Amino acid sequence: MAEAIFRHQVTKAKLDSKITMDSAGTGDWHIGHPPHQGTRDILDQYQIEHEGLRARQVKPADFIAYTYIIAMDESNVHNLASFAPEHVEGEQRASIHKLLDFAPDRVIKDVPDPYYTGNFQEVYEMVEVSCERLLVYLKEKENL
């Protein structure tokens, strides 16, 4: 959901040639599958493209390929440590942030997984706002 929402916002801001993104999970149980039907339904409701999205697992190369890795919750942050390469000579390692860190006014700091909770609308709303703020952050930080 977060990748589709953020991609939509980046495209709207005409920054898709400057910002690339890809989503990946820390678990391997949904590899190759499209987003959950509830996620697709909420994205369709807001006319956000999700065609072609398929689950994949984080890999060590992601820490070199990307500047930022955005986690949904503290468990993801912890699990990402097992994927991160310890040291790659001459390469910059991605910094890890939680998505809701970009929405400091939120009491909840972890995005709940709607796969388990069924609260797709609530998750959509928190992800949308946090992605907007992430985009503002990136525009400022990266001079876009």
Side-chain angles (χ1 to χ4, degrees), residues 76-112:
N76 290 157
V77 171
H78 176 74
N79 292 336
L80 284 165
S82 67
F83 293 95
E86 288 196 26
H87 180 71
V88 178
E89 191 65 36
E91 297 286 345
Q92 181 178 345
R93 189 169 142 179
S95 60
I96 299 171
H97 306 267
K98 286 195 318 186
L99 182 61
L100 292 184
D101 288 347
F102 296 97
D105 52 324
R106 286 210 164 267
V107 174
I108 298 172
K109 293 300 175 187
D110 289 341
V111 176

Side-chain angles (χ1 to χ4, degrees), residues 124-141:
Y124 175 87
E125 291 167 8
M126 67 176 61
V127 168
E128 180 188 38
V129 168
S130 298
C131 283
E132 287 172 358
R133 293 181 183 171
L134 170 59
L135 184 54
V136 168
Y137 172 84
L138 292 176
K139 286 164 71 173
E140 291 173 5
K141 181 92 170 158

